[in-house]
Amino acid sequence: MASRNQVKPVSFLSPQYVNGVYIPSGLLLVGCAIVKVEWLPYAVVLALALGTWKIYVNRKYSECNVIVALRSGNAANSLFPSETKKVLKPDVFQEFELKEKTVLSHNVAIYRFNLPTSNSILGLPIGQHMSVAANITQPDGEVKEVVRSYTPISSDENYGYFDLLIKSYPTGNISKHMAQMKVGQTLKVKGPKGAMVYTPNLVKRFGMIAGGTGITPMLQVIRAIIRGRPKNGGNDTTEVDLIFANVNTEDILLKEDLDALAKEDNGFRVHYVLNNPPEKWDGGVGFVTPDMIKTKLPPPGPDMKILICGPPPMVSAMKKATDSLGYEKPRPVSKLIDQVFCF
């Protein structure tokens, strides 16, 4: 995030000169040449005069910003932005303040937590998650620290905050605690943790199966892949096919985000499955079946992976389904080298 007092760019190729000097001057000269070529010398003089004045004003403004930064004591931050700081610690819980809460439905919300500074990032590798802890009063009245794992829907591309997408359950511990949190309260977090660390072109194709909030680690990987495409200056050519299963239409979390990513990138495809589909539904119906996996996801091979995340019964069923289709048998605890990886 840029500081409010940060010095404005003074490069002659900066947008303020391109948009404020070069383009208007060019339009003036071209227009004059079209309308009346005899006026062109006067137009050149006028363009030079106005351009020189504009450049002078901008450079004086930049010099004033330098003086303001020095006098305000913010020179170090304004003129020499501080280095990015990774915040997470794997062995120590730290407390982060809830900045805002965006309610998506009666039991789903996005919780945004402040990091210590505007230059801070979580320091969470793509594919990994973190532990969230809270002191929860149990039915017998005893207060117990409960720990659960969550994957942010933000990434280290986002400075100064992180976002958690949480679905609250009546019998949940952390999720119920989160639903009751007020802005200004804090949450204990530590990490990173997990065996998955995504790097560009880790495989040629990903097949993903997600259920409910199990979409969060998938979305993190998908966004990283698309950010790293050649059109964005990277070299990632990984193909991604996602099966996203839910009960009802309103349960499809972040559908607009997923649809926008699929529209933006032809290397990413999403297939929705609903237990209770509405009329004229063109997606899958019921539970995710071996036939759906066979039709929508890459076949077993040396340069592909199946990623699975969702409720425990679903994960168990998907392990059996992939095993029956000839994929390598999933381990009880997945490792990065596995063909079928369960978060």
Side-chain angles (χ1 to χ4, degrees):
M1 293 183 180
S3 167
R4 188 179 301 177
N5 294 324
Q6 193 165 349
V7 177
K8 288 186 175 287
V10 294
S11 167
F12 286 109
L13 295 178
S14 64
Q16 65 197 65
Y17 293 138
V18 173
N19 298 325
V21 179
Y22 308 141
I23 292 177
S25 298
L27 290 175
L28 174 63
L29 296 178
V30 170
C32 194
I34 293 172
V35 175
K36 196 164 186 177
V37 72
E38 291 85 355
W39 293 351
L40 195 55
Y42 304 103
V44 170
V45 173
L46 180 60
L48 285 173
L50 292 175
T52 302
W53 176 79
K54 181 74 174 178
I55 291 171
Y56 171 79
V57 169
N58 273 296
R59 297 187 74 84
K60 290 297 290 183
Y61 181 73
S62 296
E63 290 171 9
C64 289
N65 274 333
V66 173
I67 294 170
V68 169
L70 290 169
R71 288 179 176 175
S72 66
N74 292 328
N77 290 330
S78 300
L79 305 179
F80 309 101
S82 58
E83 293 182 2
T84 299
K85 180 183 178 183
K86 296 181 180 180
V87 171
L88 280 180
K89 297 178 181 178
D91 303 317
V92 179
F93 276 110
Q94 302 176 82
E95 295 196 2
F96 300 96
E97 180 185 3
L98 179 62
K99 178 183 179 181
E100 62 183 81
K101 176 180 175 180
T102 304
V103 176
L104 302 182
S105 71
H106 71 283
N107 63 348
V108 179
I110 295 175
Y111 300 82
R112 175 162 294 184
F113 292 87
N114 278 330
L115 294 176
T117 71
S118 61
N119 294 316
S120 298
I121 58 172
L122 269 179
L124 187 71
I126 298 299
Q128 294 208 301
H129 49 277
M130 57 195 194
S131 295
V132 171
N135 295 324
I136 308 291
T137 302
Q138 303 302 304
D140 61 3
E142 180 186 359
V143 177
K144 179 182 177 182
E145 184 180 67
V146 178
V147 181
R148 294 288 185 269
S149 295
Y150 287 97
T151 303
I153 58 172
S154 56
S155 71
D156 285 349
E157 298 291 313
N158 306 113
Y159 290 76
Y161 69 90
F162 67 91
D163 290 339
L164 293 176
L165 174 71
I166 307 291
K167 186 172 185 177
S168 177
Y169 298 93
T171 57
N173 282 305
I174 295 292
S175 67
K176 188 175 179 181
H177 170 79
M178 295 279 289
Q180 297 170 346
M181 284 187 71
K182 302 288 191 295
V183 171
Q185 293 182 320
T186 59
L187 186 72
K188 294 190 290 186
V189 175
K190 72 175 181 180
K193 58 185 292 190
M196 169 60 71
V197 178
Y198 179 74
T199 52
N201 298 307
L202 180 65
V203 291
K204 284 186 178 179
R205 289 188 68 185
F206 273 125
M208 299 179 173
I209 308 172
T213 54
I215 191 62
T216 55
M218 308 300 186
L219 183 60
Q220 191 186 65
V221 173
I222 292 164
R223 283 175 169 164
I225 289 171
I226 294 176
R227 277 199 307 271
R229 292 297 195 206
K231 65 180 181 181
N232 297 324
N235 65 350
D236 203 328
T237 58
T238 308
E239 297 276 319
V240 181
D241 292 278
L242 167 67
I243 296 176
F244 189 16
N246 290 277
V247 178
N248 303 303
T249 306
E250 58 269 24
D251 297 322
I252 304 176
L253 303 174
L254 303 171
K255 187 176 187 298
E256 289 184 4
D257 298 66
L258 292 168
D259 289 344
L261 290 170
K263 185 177 180 180
E264 170 193 346
D265 191 280
N266 58 16
F268 167 55
R269 295 161 290 274
V270 57
H271 178 68
Y272 299 104
V273 179
L274 292 178
N275 281 5
N276 302 319
E279 292 184 12
K280 299 181 179 179
W281 173 251
D282 60 357
V285 177
F287 296 107
V288 178
T289 65
D291 281 344
M292 289 181 190
I293 296 172
K294 189 175 182 180
T295 302
K296 300 296 182 182
L297 303 188
D303 205 1
M304 53 71 60
K305 276 187 191 297
I306 299 293
L307 304 182
I308 301 172
C309 190
M314 178 186 178
V315 172
S316 178
M318 293 303 96
K319 284 183 174 182
K320 293 176 182 176
T322 53
D323 188 25
S324 72
L325 290 170
Y327 296 94
E328 294 176 9
K329 188 177 180 65
R331 304 176 200 249
V333 178
S334 295
K335 296 185 177 181
L336 182 60
I337 61 172
D338 292 350
Q339 189 178 73
V340 178
F341 184 97
C342 300
F343 287 95

